Amino acid sequence: MRLTALLPVRSCLLLVVVSVCVQQVHGVWPLPQQLHQSADRGCLSPQRFSFTYGRDSAAQTGCSVLDAAFKRYFSIIFPDFTKGSGLLMCENQSNRLSVKTGGCDGYPDEDSDESYNLSVSEGQAVLRSVTVWGALRGLESFSQLVYQDDYGSYFINKTEIVDFPRFAFRGLLLDTSRHYLPLHAILKTLDAMAYSKFNVFHWHIVDDPSFPYQSRTFPDLSNKGAFHPFTHIYTQSDVMRVIEHARMRGIRVVPEFDSPGHTQSWGKGQPGLLTPCYKGGVPSGSFGPVDPTIDTTYKFMESLLKEVKFVFPDSYVHLGGDEVSFACWQSNPNVRKFMEKMGFGKDFTKLESFYMESIMNMTAALNRTSIVWQDVFDYHERIPQDTVLEIWKGEKYQAELSRMTQAGHRVLLSAPWYINHISYGQDWRNSYAVQPQNFSGTEEQKKLVIGGEVAMWGEYVDATNLTPRLWPRACAAAERLWSNEEKTLNADLAFPRLEEFRCELLRRGIQAEPLFVGHCKHEYDGL
Amino acid sequence: MAMYCLLKLAPLFLAVAVCNGWLFGDFVGKQKEQDEISLWPLPQKFQSSAVAFKLSPASFQIVHAKQSSAGPSCGLLENAFRRYFEYIFGDLKKPEKSRKKVYDSDLVELQVWVTSADPKCDDFPSLQTDESYELSIDEPSAVLKAANVWGALRGLETFSQLVYEDYYGVNNINKTDISDFPRFAHRGILLDSSRHFLPLKVILANLEAMAMNKFNVFHWHIVDDQSFPYMSRTFPELSQKGAYHPFTHVYTPSDVKMVIEFARMRGIRVIPEFDTPGHTESWGNGQLDLLTPCYSGSSPSGTFGPVNPILNSSYDFMTQFFKEISTVFPDAYIHLGGDEVDFRCWESNPDIQKFMAQQGFGTDYSKLESFYIQRLLDIVAATKKGYMVWQEVFDNGVKLKADTQIHVWKGRPQYQDEMGQVTAAGFRALLSTPWYLNRISYGQDWVNIYKADPQNFTGTDAQKKLVIGGEACLWGEYVDATNLTPRLWPRASAVAERLWSDKSVTDVGNAYNRLVQHRCRMVKRGIPAEPLFVGHCRQEYKGL
C-alpha cells in the first residue's frame, strides 16, 4: 500500500540572486540519521501548497491520522498564512510528497516502524514511509526544513533524508499526582513531544498525594483521593482525549499505577487496601503500603488492572514497585505472621517481591507487558522475562544496565534524565552527554536497551511552570534517543541548532525557555 | 522514582505551623474558614476576632470617606478601587445600585480616608513616601486610614487579602484591626531587559505582582552588553543598532511612559539603570567612538572594551544622554551601575596607557575607573538626580555624594562585612546579594531567601538605620517571557516579607502556610506563580 501526496511548490524568480547571499542550511531536531542538504532552494507558496495522497498509497483521504497531520503541519509551516503576502514572484514547479503507509486507525506500539525517507529536490518532494507513524515523523522533519527569508517568503533547500529512530521507546513522564495538571497542559506537552519525536507519554497518573484518575470501577478512589473530586480529576473522557491526541501524533500512552508503595491517596477511597501501621501493639491510625497479605487486595488490583486494560490501549502498563518503606509492614502483627507462614523470615524484600510477582502475573494474564522500576529487580532476580525494567537511581546506572541486560531483561533508562532537578545554567548539556549503551556488556545486551525516558516529577511543578521547565531541556534526551550518537556527541555543535529549534517551538506556541542570552524573531507573547 | 526524602519536609512544616505565636493571637484555631486568611507580607500590628461579616458583590462598595481629602477626581484611587473590587469578587460586573435589604452581618463598604491635605493623587511615590495605613474592619463599614494615596494602596491590598470564601462560596471578612507600615523604604525588584528582551506585557504583569507583595521599586536594568532596547530620543541609533531588533525588541518612549504610569498607579517607583563604563557593548553599535578600542599587539583588534574614559566626547555624550534620562524617568534616583569593569582592554590601548601616565595613575586601572565615575557623577548630579551605584564604586574609593546609595551584590567579601563598611562610611546601603533569584536550585530555596536579613551585620544603630532596604534581582541570562514570572514568584515574595514585615517575623513554618495560600491567590489573580511544594490551589493556573 502506498500513499502519495502532491506538493506543488513553485520556484522563485529571485532565487538565483537571493540564494547566493543567504545560503542558510536549516537544522532538524533531533538530527536525522542521514541528512544531505544543498544550498539550492525552492520557494513554497502558501496559496498553492497542499498535501495530497499519492495514487499508489495505502492511505487515502479519510486516513484520520494523516488528514489531521496535514492540517496541523500546514499551519505550522505557514504560520502567517492568513496574513497573505501576495508578493511572491514564483513560477510553477511540481513537487511530489509521497508517503507509503498503512493502518490509519490503529495505535502506535512497540513495534511501530517510524522510519521514513524524505527527498526534496527541484520540483520534487517525496516522503516515503512504511507506516503512518513514520509519515508523521517525516512531516515533522519536513516542517522544520521550511524557513522564511527576510521578506517573509517560504523556502526549502534541496534535501535528502534517510531517517529512523535509534531507540524504539522515547518517553516523557508527567506526574499528575503531586500537582494536578489541567488537561490543556498535558495536550500541549503532547504537541511539543511530537515536535521532538518523542513517542511515549508515561502518565504517572496517581501517587501518594492525590488520585486524580476517575475510575469507572472504583469511583471513590478519586472522589476521596483527588485534591478535589470535580475540579482536580481526569474523567474517562479526559483520558480518552489524551489517548486520541497522543495517537494522532504517533505517541503511545503508558499509564503508571504505582504500588504497593506510593499509594497513600488510594487508601482514602478503598478502605482495607493499605496496611494499617501499628504503634505499641495497637493500630496507630496511619497507613503504609498496600497490604500484601490479604486476598481482597489482589481482587481489587485485578479489577483495577482489568479496567486499565480496557481504558488504555497500549500493550504496556507501568506497575511502579519503587521505594516501598518496610517500617509499616514490620510494625503490623498480621504482616509478620504472614511472613512467618511464607517462610520469608525477616526479609521484607521477599514480601514485596511476592506482591509484585502476583501483580506482574496478573498483568501478563491480561496480555499486557509490565514495566517496573529498578527496585523490583534489585530485590528479586526472578522476574517474568518479558518485564521491562526502568532505571531511575542516579548513582552507577551503567552497572545496573549491565546487570539487568545480563539477566536478559529489556531496559529503559531514566536516571540521568530527571529533569525536575534544576540547577543554574545550561544543564541540558548533561542530558545530552548521556550514552545509554555505554556500559560493559555484549552486543546482545546493548540491544536490550529499548530506550529511555525524561521524567518531570511534580513536587515543584504545575501548570504555572511545567512547560518552560520541560522545554527545551527535554529536547536533549530526545536527540540522544533518536539520533546517531557518534554524530551528536558534541554539545557545542548542537547548541545553535537547539537554539533555533527552541525559537521554532516558541513560534509554534510552546513556552520553551531560553538556553542562554539572545532572542527569537517571534518571542513568546504570553505570560 | 520520586525522591522520597523531599516529601518528608511537608509534615515538618505542618508541625511548625501549629505554634505560630503572638502574631496571630486569638486568631488560631477558632474557626476553620480562618485558615483561608493568609496575609502576605504580614502586617506590623494585627488583631482579628472570630466575628465574621459577609461581603455581597451586589452591594459592597469601596468608597471615599467623607472626611477624605481624596475624591472621585483621584484617578489613582478610583482605578485601585476597581482593581481590588475585581480581585475580591472575581470578574463580576460593577455592583448594582443599592440592594433593598442589607443584612445585619453584612459589611457594606470600605471607606478610604486619606488624611493629609494633599492626597498626592497625581504625584510619584518616592523614597520618603509614607506608606503606613490603618485598617479597621467592623460593621457596617470598614475604614482604611492613610496619610496619602500610597498608604491607601497598601491598605487596599491588605483588605483584599483579608477576604476569604466560606464553604458556600460567600465572601467573608473578620472583624480586624491593623496598623501597618514598612520596615524598609526601598523594596525592589530588578528585571533585566537586555540579556533577553521582555515584552511590555511581562513587565506590566510583574508590576501587578509586585503590588500584591507591597514591593515599591522597579529597578529596570534596561540595557547592558547584549542589547540596548531603550529607544532614546537624543540618540536613536543606540536602539536602532544596539537592540536585538530595531522595531520588535525595543521600548519606545510611549512604552516607557506606560511602564512608569502603570507603576505609579500601584505606588511603585521606576528606577532605570544605565550601567557604565562596563556592560556597554551594545552602546557601541549605535555610538561610534564611545567604547575603548582594544588592541592586540600594536594594532586595534576590532573589538571594544568599556566606555573610553579619556575622551571628552564620552562625557559630552553622557551629559546629553543623562539629561534625557533625567526627564524621561521622574524618580529622584538613577542607577549608574559601575560594576564589573574589565581592565584588560584599557590596558591594551596605548592612548589609555599614555593618559594613565599623564594622570599619574601608574598601572592602577581602578584609578582610571574612579576618574570616569567621578566625572559621571558630576554630570548626573547636575541633572538634580540622586544616584545608586553597585558596590565596586564604593570599594574602589570613588568620591561620592553623601546621599549616594550603595547597592551590595557580591558574595565575597561576605555581604555582612560590606554592609558594615558601607554604613560605617556613612552611606546608605541596599542589599541584593542573598536575593539573586536568577540562581536556581532544586527544592524550596525560598527558605534561605527568607532568612536573609539586611540588618544582620555588626554595626551601630545609626549604621543599621542607613540600610534603606534591598532588591530581589532576576538577571536575564536564562530568563525571558517564557519563564520569568514563575521563576520570580513566589520566590520574590520571601524578599517582600523580609523587607516589609517586622524583624521578628522569621517563623519559616508559619510563613510556609501563608505563602502557599498567597501563591494560590496570585495564581487566582492571573499570575503564574510556581508551587512551593506538593499540593493544589482551588483555582489552578488557567493560562498557557
Side-chain angles (χ1 to χ4, degrees):
Chain A
M1 304 238 284
R2 277 173 64 84
L3 166 126
T4 308
L6 274 175
L7 165 69
V9 173
R10 298 170 296 178
S11 79
C12 199
L13 289 176
L14 299 169
L15 183 67
V16 183
V17 188
V18 182
S19 64
V20 174
C21 52
V22 181
Q23 287 223 348
Q24 48 197 141
V25 172
H26 277 254
V28 177
W29 193 280
L31 193 71
Q33 300 286 345
Q34 290 173 39
L35 168 72
H36 299 286
Q37 276 180 306
S38 87
D40 298 341
R41 62 180 193 176
C43 148
L44 280 72
S45 157
Q47 280 81 11
R48 302 287 295 269
F49 181 95
S50 74
F51 294 105
T52 347
Y53 294 99
R55 252 167 272 140
D56 50 354
S57 168
Q60 293 292 339
T61 304
C63 175
S64 58
V65 171
L66 289 180
D67 284 349
F70 287 174
K71 185 177 168 187
R72 207 162 60 235
Y73 279 105
F74 187 89
S75 37
I76 283 173
I77 294 169
F78 304 111
D80 352 296
F81 175 53
T82 46
K83 289 171 199 160
S85 68
L87 291 169
L88 286 172
M89 302 275 285
C90 298
E91 74 178 20
N92 280 322
Q93 183 184 21
S94 76
N95 279 18
R96 289 168 58 85
L97 183 69
S98 155
V99 185
K100 172 175 158 187
T101 187
C104 295
D105 299 317
Y107 291 91
D109 62 31
E110 54 181 321
D111 300 318
S112 290
D113 183 338
E114 294 175 286
S115 67
Y116 67 93
N117 290 358
L118 177 63
S119 164
V120 182
S121 56
E122 209 177 326
Q124 285 277 3
V126 182
L127 172 61
R128 287 180 222 285
S129 70
V130 181
T131 67
V132 290
W133 318 119
L136 288 176
R137 304 296 168 244
L139 284 168
E140 176 54 42
S141 295
F142 180 80
S143 74
Q144 292 187 25
L145 289 169
V146 178
Y147 60 95
Q148 282 179 281
D149 69 3
D150 291 343
Y151 301 94
S153 305
Y154 295 95
F155 293 95
I156 188 164
N157 285 42
K158 208 175 148 186
T159 307
E160 295 292 330
I161 290 179
V162 176
D163 203 9
F164 52 88
R166 177 179 173 202
F167 293 107
F169 194 113
R170 304 178 309 281
L172 187 149
L173 175 151
L174 291 185
D175 168 2
T176 56
S177 172
R178 286 170 178 98
H179 284 100
Y180 176 78
L181 298 175
L183 203 61
H184 63 89
I186 296 176
L187 302 183
K188 201 85 176 167
T189 303
L190 290 168
D191 292 349
M193 284 172 69
Y195 302 150
S196 295
K197 296 192 172 75
F198 277 108
N199 68 350
V200 180
F201 169 39
H202 174 169
W203 194 350
H204 188 85
I205 192 165
V206 299
D207 203 301
D208 283 327
S210 76
F211 197 105
Y213 172 75
Q214 188 173 49
S215 161
R216 40 211 309 155
T217 325
F218 304 101
D220 268 353
L221 287 171
S222 65
N223 277 342
K224 298 188 175 165
F227 284 132
H228 187 282
F230 296 106
T231 59
H232 288 64
I233 58 163
Y234 303 104
T235 64
Q236 289 290 312
S237 75
D238 289 342
V239 172
M240 275 164 64
R241 204 163 147 210
V242 167
I243 293 169
E244 182 61 8
H245 196 89
R247 183 183 85 85
M248 288 299 210
R249 286 152 185 81
I251 297 170
R252 301 159 55 190
V253 178
V254 175
E256 177 178 355
F257 286 86
D258 190 354
S259 71
H262 288 281
T263 47
Q264 285 296 306
S265 69
W266 304 38
K268 294 177 187 160
Q270 188 62 24
L273 177 66
L274 303 185
T275 311
C277 311
Y278 277 65
K279 203 174 180 183
V282 287
S284 70
S286 66
F287 294 88
V290 164
D291 189 340
T293 68
I294 49 179
D295 286 344
T296 51
T297 293
Y298 297 97
K299 286 205 183 96
F300 167 81
M301 287 305 293
E302 190 166 16
S303 309
L304 183 68
L305 287 171
K306 268 188 187 148
E307 172 176 334
V308 168
K309 174 184 168 145
F310 179 78
V311 174
F312 293 90
D314 201 81
S315 64
Y316 283 39
V317 179
H318 205 302
L319 299 175
D322 60 314
E323 296 184 307
V324 182
S325 161
F326 296 142
C328 183
W329 279 348
Q330 267 162 355
S331 77
N332 183 304
N334 299 323
V335 174
R336 289 201 302 266
K337 210 176 293 166
F338 184 81
M339 293 279 289
E340 212 167 293
K341 193 179 103 194
M342 301 297 289
F344 291 162
K346 298 227 180 298
D347 186 356
F348 283 87
T349 66
K350 289 197 170 126
L351 181 58
E352 184 191 346
S353 297
F354 169 82
Y355 171 82
M356 286 308 293
E357 204 171 325
S358 316
I359 302 297
M360 288 187 283
N361 288 339
M362 239 176 238
T363 307
L366 292 167
N367 272 323
R368 288 288 188 263
T369 303
S370 310
I371 309 179
V372 293
W373 296 107
Q374 71 179 93
D375 314 42
V376 179
F377 171 81
D378 294 346
Y379 288 145
H380 192 58
E381 303 76 39
R382 270 191 322 110
I383 293 177
Q385 198 64 45
D386 72 335
T387 304
V388 176
L389 305 172
E390 181 160 10
I391 299 179
W392 69 274
K393 293 191 180 180
E395 67 283 1
K396 299 177 192 153
Y397 65 81
Q398 287 92 345
E400 187 80 355
L401 279 164
S402 288
R403 275 197 299 278
M404 287 174 169
T405 51
Q406 196 157 28
H409 286 290
R410 288 177 296 166
V411 182
L412 282 170
L413 183 61
S414 202
W417 290 319
Y418 263 38
I419 66 172
N420 52 311
H421 289 164
I422 52 168
S423 58
Y424 190 60
Q426 296 195 34
D427 58 359
W428 70 274
R429 288 170 184 268
N430 302 332
S431 300
Y432 199 70
V434 173
Q435 296 176 280
Q437 287 171 321
N438 185 16
F439 59 90
S440 58
T442 63
E443 280 311 302
E444 282 309 301
Q445 277 177 265
K446 305 285 167 94
K447 277 186 195 145
L448 287 169
V449 179
I450 60 169
E453 285 193 338
V454 166
M456 182 55 85
W457 294 103
E459 280 86 348
Y460 302 102
V461 175
D462 70 3
T464 62
N465 59 353
L466 173 77
T467 310
R469 198 162 283 197
L470 256 184
W471 311 106
R473 293 167 72 230
C475 301
E479 178 147 300
R480 182 57 57 243
L481 292 169
W482 177 281
S483 307
N484 183 313
E485 191 172 286
E486 310 247 296
K487 292 180 187 168
T488 54
L489 270 179
N490 187 329
D492 292 334
L493 287 180
F495 181 76
R497 195 160 40 88
L498 186 53
E499 264 195 321
E500 198 187 332
F501 183 56
R502 179 256 164 175
C503 287
E504 180 59 28
L505 290 175
L506 282 193
R507 182 108 202 238
R508 297 181 184 193
I510 303 297
Q511 194 182 345
E513 68 178 20
L515 292 170
F516 194 54
V517 169
H519 78 293
C520 295
K521 201 158 145 195
H522 304 275
E523 300 285 4
Y524 181 66
D525 64 356
L527 260 198
Chain B
M1 253 271 306
M3 294 290 149
Y4 199 76
C5 57
L6 293 164
L7 272 173
K8 287 178 185 155
L9 280 170
L12 177 98
F13 281 130
L14 290 174
V16 180
V18 179
C19 42
N20 46 15
W22 65 273
L23 284 160
F24 282 65
D26 56 340
F27 172 85
V28 182
K30 280 223 167 137
Q31 225 179 350
K32 191 97 199 277
E33 289 102 323
Q34 290 193 344
D35 293 348
E36 299 285 331
I37 304 174
S38 55
L39 297 176
W40 193 281
L42 201 66
Q44 300 281 349
K45 284 176 198 145
F46 175 88
Q47 239 185 350
S48 181
S49 89
V51 178
F53 314 115
K54 287 201 210 60
L55 278 77
S56 153
S59 62
F60 178 78
Q61 296 188 54
I62 306 178
V63 297
H64 298 282
K66 280 201 191 75
Q67 318 92 312
S68 180
S69 60
S73 65
C74 184
L76 185 143
L77 279 186
E78 289 294 329
N79 267 299
F81 291 176
R82 182 179 59 194
R83 192 163 67 242
Y84 282 104
F85 187 89
E86 281 171 3
Y87 282 161
I88 293 167
F89 296 110
D91 291 333
L92 286 165
K93 284 174 205 147
K94 278 251 168 186
E96 293 153 28
K97 283 289 167 199
S98 69
R99 207 176 51 171
K100 270 180 192 161
K101 192 181 176 200
V102 172
Y103 293 98
D104 293 345
S105 58
D106 271 10
L107 185 72
V108 294
E109 61 183 14
L110 170 65
Q111 297 183 1
V112 178
W113 178 8
V114 177
T115 57
S116 67
D118 176 8
K120 312 238 185 231
C121 285
D122 302 312
D123 282 19
F124 289 93
S126 74
L127 183 64
Q128 288 77 33
T129 290
D130 178 0
E131 295 174 283
S132 66
Y133 66 93
E134 278 170 28
L135 185 58
S136 160
I137 317 274
D138 207 343
E139 55 185 336
S141 296
V143 179
L144 167 61
K145 214 167 128 184
N148 55 52
V149 293
W150 315 119
L153 286 174
R154 304 295 168 246
L156 281 166
E157 175 58 39
T158 303
F159 179 83
S160 75
Q161 295 190 5
L162 284 167
V163 179
Y164 59 95
E165 259 181 55
D166 66 16
Y167 291 128
Y168 300 96
V170 176
N171 282 300
N172 281 255
I173 192 163
N174 285 43
K175 189 171 184 313
T176 306
D177 280 299
I178 289 179
S179 170
D180 201 11
F181 53 88
R183 180 179 168 206
F184 293 106
H186 185 120
R187 306 181 306 281
I189 294 272
L190 176 150
L191 296 183
D192 168 0
S193 58
S194 172
R195 267 104 187 180
H196 285 99
F197 179 77
L198 300 175
L200 207 57
K201 192 166 153 185
V202 172
I203 295 178
L204 301 185
N206 279 282
L207 288 167
E208 201 80 90
M210 283 170 68
M212 295 172 198
N213 290 275
K214 297 192 172 73
F215 275 107
N216 68 351
V217 177
F218 170 37
H219 174 167
W220 194 352
H221 188 86
I222 190 166
V223 302
D224 205 299
D225 283 331
Q226 287 78 7
S227 74
F228 197 105
Y230 172 77
M231 194 186 275
S232 162
R233 301 161 208 251
T234 325
F235 301 101
E237 298 233 308
L238 286 170
S239 64
Q240 266 163 30
K241 300 199 171 151
Y244 282 129
H245 187 282
F247 297 106
T248 59
H249 289 61
V250 293
Y251 302 105
T252 64
S254 77
D255 289 341
V256 172
K257 231 181 185 161
M258 189 192 273
V259 167
I260 293 168
E261 179 60 8
F262 196 91
R264 188 187 77 83
M265 297 290 259
R266 286 153 185 79
I268 297 170
R269 302 160 58 197
V270 178
I271 298 181
E273 177 179 353
F274 287 90
D275 190 355
T276 65
H279 289 281
T280 47
E281 282 299 304
S282 68
W283 302 46
N285 298 331
Q287 186 64 22
L288 295 181
D289 299 331
L290 177 67
L291 304 185
T292 310
C294 313
Y295 276 65
S296 175
S298 59
S299 52
S301 68
T303 63
F304 294 88
V307 167
N308 193 334
I310 67 168
L311 300 179
N312 280 331
S313 59
S314 294
Y315 301 99
D316 294 342
F317 167 82
M318 291 298 168
T319 306
Q320 287 189 67
F321 183 74
F322 279 102
K323 203 173 150 198
E324 170 184 332
I325 298 309
S326 69
T327 57
V328 169
F329 293 90
D331 200 83
Y333 284 85
I334 298 177
H335 203 302
L336 298 176
D339 59 317
E340 297 184 308
V341 183
D342 185 346
F343 296 144
R344 279 172 305 181
C345 183
W346 280 348
E347 278 164 2
S348 76
N349 183 304
D351 297 326
I352 301 243
Q353 287 159 13
K354 210 178 296 165
F355 184 82
M356 292 281 288
Q358 265 170 26
Q359 297 284 325
F361 291 163
T363 52
D364 185 354
Y365 284 85
S366 71
K367 286 193 174 137
L368 181 59
E369 183 188 351
S370 296
F371 173 85
Y372 168 82
I373 298 267
Q374 250 153 22
R375 289 193 65 173
L376 179 70
L377 296 186
D378 290 341
I379 288 168
V380 174
T383 67
K384 303 275 192 312
K385 294 283 186 187
Y387 38 76
M388 302 167 61
V389 290
W390 295 109
Q391 71 178 79
E392 284 100 318
V393 178
F394 168 80
D395 296 344
N396 290 344
V398 178
K399 206 177 112 230
L400 296 163
K401 276 200 304 177
D403 68 341
T404 304
Q405 300 175 359
I406 312 293
H407 199 159
V408 174
W409 70 276
K410 287 186 157 189
R412 282 202 193 95
Q414 294 244 313
Y415 69 82
Q416 289 89 344
D417 297 342
E418 181 79 5
M419 293 293 281
Q421 279 157 24
V422 169
T423 53
F427 291 108
R428 284 183 291 173
L430 276 168
L431 182 63
S432 272
T433 308
W435 296 323
Y436 264 39
L437 303 192
N438 50 308
R439 304 210 154 257
I440 52 169
S441 59
Y442 190 60
Q444 297 200 33
D445 61 356
W446 72 273
V447 175
N448 284 328
I449 296 169
Y450 189 72
K451 283 179 177 164
D453 191 307
Q455 286 178 329
N456 180 22
F457 62 89
T458 324
T460 62
D461 282 350
Q463 274 178 271
K464 302 288 169 86
K465 276 189 192 138
L466 286 168
V467 179
I468 56 170
E471 289 185 0
C473 300
L474 196 68
W475 295 101
E477 281 85 349
Y478 300 102
V479 174
D480 70 3
T482 61
N483 58 352
L484 182 140
T485 311
R487 192 158 290 188
L488 189 55
W489 309 103
R491 293 163 74 231
S493 303
V495 180
E497 179 151 297
R498 182 57 52 241
L499 294 174
W500 177 281
S501 305
D502 189 78
K503 198 177 184 152
S504 64
V505 180
T506 53
D507 183 333
V508 171
N510 174 292
Y512 177 79
N513 289 331
R514 281 182 296 120
L515 190 51
V516 162
Q517 292 186 51
H518 181 55
R519 108 83 190 174
C520 285
R521 176 164 51 226
M522 287 193 274
V523 168
K524 189 177 164 191
R525 293 179 182 186
I527 303 295
E530 67 178 21
L532 290 174
F533 194 56
V534 172
H536 78 293
C537 297
R538 207 191 300 184
Q539 285 172 271
E540 300 286 2
Y541 184 60
K542 296 218 170 55
L544 275 201

